[in-house]
Amino acid sequence: MANPWEEISLSDYENHMKLDSVMQLQNMNQMMKGQFDAYPVSSVMVLGIAGGNGLEHIDKSKYQKVYGIDINTEYLKAVEERYSDISEILECIQVDLIDETNKLPNAELLVANLLIEYIGYDCFQKAVEHVCPKYVSCIIQINADGNWVSDSPYIHVFDDLDKVHHQMEENLLIQAMKDIGYNLIAQTESLLPNGKKLVQLDFNC
């Protein structure tokens, strides 16, 4: 069965995410600057990179390697085109994280934003264990009203994601990470206009 993320166009996804009523693209962009700047690392892997939102904050004097991981090859092509200024350090790799974690290289920092929702805690644990990062920084969405896709003209583009979506809870993710040897070192929140919030959880081993 094809993963629904292979069927969603990047323009539909990004246009939905940046609506004034959603504001996830903008909020996450600023949070990612903090993720990239926070720790003394020279390599980073972004799981579920989509169109590369946030990569403009990569400091080439700090990073020697940036891995962009996604299941959708069209997304990865867009990342390579948009961020050609970091092409010498950027490597995009098509991976289905459900059953292809063995394709993942190592990186010192692992960033996973709005991704764990679509693979579940167990698959995320496997990905982390394979990448062996010193630091892990995750952003998850907490839904106050129970509806995990924000209302927008693009909402039906995401209908099939019900098949792969997992509801996230901070305490369950913290415990899942603790189970594989990673401890929580930072937690921040960003409120969204529709009652949802983005929660950033950082870990180290």
Side-chain angles (χ1 to χ4, degrees):
M1 184 183 76
N3 188 297
W5 278 111
E6 296 177 85
E7 310 298 325
I8 296 172
S9 80
L10 185 59
S11 61
D12 283 348
Y13 172 65
E14 291 183 334
N15 285 332
H16 166 80
M17 292 279 282
K18 69 184 181 186
L19 285 170
D20 288 345
S21 59
V22 179
M23 291 290 286
Q24 287 188 353
L25 207 71
Q26 300 90 327
N27 273 266
M28 208 154 58
N29 185 285
Q30 288 308 302
M31 294 173 83
M32 288 183 80
K33 184 179 189 311
Q35 288 176 308
F36 293 145
D37 291 349
Y39 303 110
V41 296
S42 60
S43 61
V44 59
M45 178 182 296
V46 182
L47 296 181
I49 197 165
N53 180 37
L55 285 185
E56 68 268 28
H57 302 304
I58 288 289
D59 180 353
K60 287 195 284 187
S61 67
K62 173 180 180 176
Y63 283 100
Q64 297 172 13
K65 194 70 183 182
V66 178
Y67 294 105
I69 308 297
D70 210 283
I71 193 171
N72 189 311
T73 53
E74 295 304 313
Y75 293 3
L76 296 175
K77 285 179 191 172
V79 172
E80 290 172 343
E81 289 170 6
R82 291 174 175 180
Y83 299 96
S84 57
D85 59 313
I86 58 168
S87 60
E88 69 272 20
I89 60 171
L90 175 65
E91 182 178 345
C92 290
I93 308 172
Q94 194 268 339
V95 177
D96 182 346
L97 292 170
I98 301 298
D99 55 15
E100 294 181 329
T101 50
N102 61 317
K103 283 188 179 182
L104 297 172
N106 300 123
E108 294 175 298
L109 169 63
L110 182 65
V111 172
N113 297 335
L114 303 187
L115 167 100
I116 308 168
E117 286 89 333
Y118 301 106
I119 64 172
Y121 300 117
D122 290 348
C123 279
F124 185 60
Q125 286 176 315
K126 289 176 187 171
V128 172
E129 289 182 308
H130 196 83
V131 176
C132 293
K134 294 177 184 175
Y135 300 94
V136 178
S137 186
C138 317
I139 296 175
I140 60 173
Q141 176 180 290
I142 302 299
N143 310 303
D145 58 4
N147 295 316
W148 57 274
V149 176
S150 301
D151 192 26
S152 88
Y154 302 94
I155 190 167
H156 292 298
V157 170
F158 305 101
D159 285 350
D160 282 350
L161 291 180
D162 275 332
K163 299 171 186 172
V164 293
H165 183 262
H166 304 73
Q167 190 62 45
M168 290 288 102
E169 293 183 35
E170 294 110 310
N171 61 324
L172 294 181
L173 177 55
I174 291 167
Q175 185 58 53
M177 292 297 288
K178 193 172 183 179
D179 289 346
I180 59 170
Y182 285 81
N183 296 308
L184 184 71
I185 54 173
Q187 181 169 349
T188 56
E189 295 184 356
S190 177
L191 297 177
L192 300 172
N194 51 16
K196 303 179 189 305
K197 64 181 177 181
L198 298 177
V199 177
Q200 180 179 330
L201 301 169
D202 288 9
F203 305 87
N204 77 339
C205 61

